[in-house]
Every structure is written in C-alpha cells, then in structure tokens.
Amino acid sequence: MMPGDPDTFGEDRYQEAVINFNTQGEITNFQLAISNNLYTQVIKKNASVKDMRCRQMILDYVEQFRTAYNTKDMEFLEQIFSEDALIITGKVVKRQSVEKGFGFMGDKAKVEYSVQSKKQYLGRLANVFRNNKRIHVVFDEIKVYAHPAKENYYGVLLKQGYSSDSYSDIGYLFLLWDFNNEAGPKIHVRTWQPEKIDANTPLPLDEIFSVDDFEFNNNNNNMKKLILFLSLFMAVSSSVFAQEIRVKSYKALERDLTARTQERLDRNDNPCSVIKIVSSGKDFSFEGNVIGDPVVKNGETMIYITEGTRRLTIRHAKYGVLRYELPERVKKQTVYELALKLIEDKNNKLRTLVMPVAGINPEQFSYGIMVGLVKRTGGYIKARYSFKNVSTDNMECDDSGVLTGTEGSLPWYSGNTEKAV
C-alpha cells in the first residue's frame, strides 16, 4: 500500500497489510502490518515461551492500534484503553531568553506536558476524526520491553509518523501494556513526545518515557493504579504522617563489588544494581523496580534494583512515605549507599504531666498532686466546687417508701422496693 503523504515520514513508499477472509471469500478483517524486519527484531528478544507469546500479541495489537487510527475505529480504541488510562502529550514551547554578556534575544525551546484522562483524550480524538477526511499513522521503529520487576507488563516504544488534512508530526509513542488478562490486554499509559526540540536538537534519549517512569500501587486485587513521576508534577518527597523520612546522603560505592559477587538478575536476565539503606530504623518496605526481597545484614538493608531506575519509594508504618528521585539513573551492577534520617514529631510524643493541686475553703485546706499522660499540651481551665454547701431537705418515709405526711405519692422513688437481709 502506498502512504497518502510519503514525504512526511520515512523513505518506504509502501506498507504491508493483513487481510482475513472467511470460507465464503468475504473479508472479515483488515489491518496494516508491521514490516518483517521490525517484527523479527522484536520476536528475537524473547526471554521465554510466555514472553514470546506476549510479544506476538503485542505486535498484533500494535498493528490493530495503528489501523484503528487510520480507519477512525473509536470502538476499538474505547476497548483497548483501561478506564483509568493516563494520556500524556508533549509539545514544544519556545520562550525568549537573553544570552549572557551579549544582550541577544533568542528563542529557547522546551517540551511541556499535558495530562488527560481516557474520556478527555477520546473525546478530543473523536473531534479530530470528524474534522479530517484522512488520518495516516506510520510506525518506523518499534522496541518492546518486558517490565524488569513487574510480571505481565510491557512497555512499547514506537517512532510514529502522523499526518492528517491539516497537521503532521513525527515523535515517540510509548504504550504501557497490561497482559494480566491475555484475553483482554489493556493500555494503561499512552505518551507522545516530539522527535526534536527544534530543527537541530533531538529529544535527549534519557527524557523519552519508559516503563521506569511509572510506579504501580495495588489498591485491590483487580486494579493497578499508575502514578507518573514527572519533574513537572512531582514533589521529591512527601509524608502523610506526623513523622518523616529524609535523605541524609546518596552516593555510589565505587569499590563495593556486592552487585557482582552476590548477583541477582531481573526478569530480562540482566544483572541488577544494589542500594544499601543505612538507617536507625527497620521494617521498611520498598516499591519501584525492586527485584526480590530485601537483605538485612549488619545493621543495613540491601535491595536489588534494575539498571536505569530513576526513583525509589520507601514506606514505613510509623514514619510514612518517601518518594525519592535519584540524582541519576542507576548504572549497571553498581552499588549505592542511601543514608536515611527518621524525624520524630515531638508534638506527638507521650508526656507525663505532674501538677500540684490545692483547695481552700473557710473550714478546710486540701492539697495533692495530679498525674496524667498527654500527647499535646496547652492552656486549660480546671474548676472545683465543694458540695458541702448544697442545701438539703430532710424527709422521712415508712417501710414501703411512702413519704410521711403525703397521700401515698412517691416523688423520689420508682416504686420498686428491696429489703436487705
């Protein structure tokens, strides 16, 4: 097939297509196909039989995904995105800046990102489909990554060429696939970034989205929430508790060979790096690209993480949560030391309160102390009253509880009487 605008993207003027027929010779399905060389490159990198099957399914769905845009198939796109899908789109914004020492006004370009929900994205896409007779999407490159720490999750990075009646662009399309249900895989994340910041400046490779940019939080057995860590939206650390976890220091231990002598592999059979956690506390839990269980030894906790990791989440039942953005991506088989400081909330500690107490009245003087346990202190008022001066009325009653001198009324009693032996 010949593309509608071959000069817009790539040099290949023809595309392969897959057409399915039934026994009556009727066409039952049509989809654009990925070229054989790209298909072979992806399949050759499988790590297991199941991994190969997932990669084959991914390539099949990627072909359907591209065809859905070209044929404006909103029903397929509605089905393939999860209900809580995260849609991120980058655009180049140029701002004027002044060159130091020259007073020269120039344009400084940067990529800014917007986040949409599935409903918002598909609503805008439907408008694009209605306003354009022709939508043409081409995939020139494709890379499939099994998530190094999370089973059944795959990242797919595509170099996409897009053109329509009024607009065209080239950029990187990233899709995060969930194959926990092979019969109905879902896309949890779709991101798009421009190929170049300006005519001569390509987007840096370490800024292109990958599976490492997303953290999985299990809210229940059936749903996985995804949290995106972007410098645009992210606070480096946060705590919902009165106590707090802080980073004292982070450094590479260049002469430490633990990652090599006590090697651990990720799901892609790549050797991990190690972070040694130094802290006065214990019972931490870790989230991110952590492989296997932590190892506690000689007062420090050692965790294995995958190469390229950008961040680490540390949780503690008492001190809360620290979402730490690493100063740089983790290097291959390197050992790092992360020293933590645990901050106590002094206002939330239990304190012993001891106060002298004295009472004075015309007939008697009393004194003593009051002891209590408190978490917070402040001003308060304490009042005392002697009930000695309360007026009383002396009354008499017979054995049945009837007041003497009345006509059988029982104003102070319920009417029930009991006798003590």
Side-chain angles (χ1 to χ4, degrees):
M1 292 184 61
M2 177 178 271
D5 186 5
D7 297 327
T8 301
F9 184 69
E11 298 179 356
D12 189 357
R13 293 175 59 87
Y14 294 89
Q15 299 177 60
E16 299 175 8
V18 176
I19 303 175
N20 296 333
F21 299 88
N22 61 18
T23 55
Q24 286 74 41
E26 298 172 334
I27 296 177
T28 59
N29 184 47
F30 170 86
Q31 64 190 50
L32 299 175
I34 295 172
S35 63
N36 283 331
N37 63 323
L38 292 179
Y39 186 93
T40 303
Q41 289 175 13
V42 173
I43 294 300
K44 283 171 58 179
K45 295 183 179 180
N46 72 87
S48 64
V49 174
K50 182 178 180 180
D51 183 52
M52 182 176 69
R53 185 172 69 254
C54 288
R55 288 172 181 268
Q56 289 173 331
M57 292 177 64
I58 286 171
L59 292 175
D60 179 59
Y61 273 102
V62 166
E63 291 173 342
Q64 295 183 55
F65 185 76
R66 177 165 64 120
T67 302
Y69 279 84
N70 289 339
T71 60
K72 305 178 183 180
D73 186 352
M74 290 296 299
E75 182 178 353
F76 175 82
L77 297 174
E78 177 72 35
Q79 293 175 354
I80 203 65
F81 283 107
S82 67
E83 289 305 313
D84 58 344
L86 189 65
I87 314 296
I88 303 165
T89 306
K91 66 176 181 179
V92 176
V93 177
K94 292 185 177 181
R95 295 179 177 176
Q96 287 190 331
S97 61
V98 179
E99 292 289 338
K100 293 183 179 180
F102 294 95
F104 173 75
M105 296 296 292
D107 287 333
K108 186 177 181 180
K110 61 176 294 186
V111 179
E112 291 186 350
Y113 296 93
S114 61
V115 179
Q116 302 175 68
S117 65
K118 171 184 176 179
K119 183 178 180 180
Q120 292 171 327
Y121 172 71
L122 293 182
R124 294 176 181 176
L125 185 62
N127 289 332
V128 172
F129 286 170
R130 283 193 295 268
N131 295 330
N132 290 270
K133 292 183 178 180
R134 181 184 62 88
I135 301 290
H136 186 66
V137 175
V138 179
F139 294 149
D140 186 51
E141 298 174 7
I142 179 170
K143 295 179 181 179
V144 177
Y145 305 92
H147 195 287
K150 304 293 183 181
E151 189 177 2
N152 299 324
Y153 286 89
Y154 287 81
V156 180
L157 181 63
L158 304 149
K159 191 173 182 181
Q160 173 187 276
Y162 173 93
S163 64
S164 65
D165 295 344
S166 58
Y167 176 78
S168 64
D169 61 36
I170 300 174
Y172 296 103
L173 177 68
F174 173 78
L175 304 172
L176 183 59
W177 290 82
D178 175 1
F179 276 88
N180 280 291
N181 178 12
E182 291 189 10
K186 295 291 184 181
I187 296 175
H188 284 303
V189 178
R190 177 198 183 273
T191 73
W192 185 89
Q193 297 168 279
E195 178 192 28
K196 294 183 178 180
I197 298 176
D198 57 41
N200 301 313
T201 308
L203 185 71
L205 293 179
D206 61 354
E207 292 186 15
I208 299 174
F209 287 115
S210 68
V211 291
D212 296 327
D213 293 304
F214 303 90
E215 178 184 293
F216 300 77
N217 282 340
N218 295 336
N219 289 339
N220 54 54
N221 293 332
N222 299 318
M223 183 64 68
K224 301 255 184 195
K225 293 294 183 182
L226 290 154
I227 302 175
L228 171 66
F229 286 90
L230 279 174
S231 58
L232 182 63
F233 308 110
M234 186 191 98
V236 172
S237 66
S238 62
S239 175
V240 295
F241 295 85
Q243 287 79 15
E244 186 179 357
I245 307 173
R246 291 184 183 176
V247 175
K248 291 173 60 178
S249 64
Y250 177 81
K251 61 183 179 181
L253 304 178
E254 302 292 349
R255 298 185 180 182
D256 193 323
L257 301 179
T258 304
R260 299 178 184 274
T261 59
Q262 302 177 38
E263 187 179 75
R264 187 178 290 184
L265 304 179
D266 65 16
R267 291 186 58 249
N268 295 313
D269 290 333
N270 295 318
C272 295
S273 296
V274 169
I275 295 182
K276 294 184 175 181
I277 310 295
V278 180
S279 171
S280 58
K282 59 181 182 178
D283 298 327
F284 293 100
S285 63
F286 305 92
E287 295 177 5
N289 294 335
V290 179
I291 304 299
D293 296 327
V295 178
V296 180
K297 187 177 181 181
N298 298 329
E300 65 182 12
T301 302
M302 186 168 69
I303 59 173
Y304 287 83
I305 58 174
T306 60
E307 177 188 359
T309 296
R310 290 183 175 183
R311 57 196 57 81
L312 178 68
T313 299
I314 304 173
R315 298 181 183 273
H316 193 277
K318 180 179 179 181
Y319 294 97
V321 181
L322 170 69
R323 305 188 193 279
Y324 182 54
E325 181 86 3
L326 303 178
E328 63 179 4
R329 285 183 180 270
V330 169
K331 297 178 181 178
K332 184 178 181 179
Q333 283 189 297
T334 304
V335 179
Y336 300 86
E337 180 186 84
L338 176 61
L340 301 178
K341 182 178 181 180
L342 305 180
I343 308 299
E344 290 273 3
D345 182 3
K346 296 180 179 179
N347 293 325
N348 205 36
K349 285 185 176 180
L350 281 175
R351 294 178 173 82
T352 302
L353 179 67
V354 180
M355 295 182 62
V357 179
I360 302 175
N361 63 50
E363 299 180 7
Q364 184 180 3
F365 174 76
S366 64
Y367 60 91
I369 60 172
M370 181 175 68
V371 180
L373 293 176
V374 297
K375 276 194 173 184
R376 298 181 182 273
T377 59
Y380 67 94
I381 298 176
K382 179 179 180 181
R384 299 183 63 190
Y385 184 78
S386 173
F387 290 94
K388 183 176 181 179
N389 298 324
V390 176
S391 62
T392 59
D393 293 325
N394 295 324
M395 299 181 184
E396 294 182 1
C397 65
D398 58 23
D399 292 340
S400 64
V402 178
L403 294 176
T404 305
T406 64
E407 297 180 358
S409 62
L410 300 174
W412 310 110
Y413 305 97
S414 64
N416 297 324
T417 60
E418 294 184 3
K419 292 183 179 181
V421 179

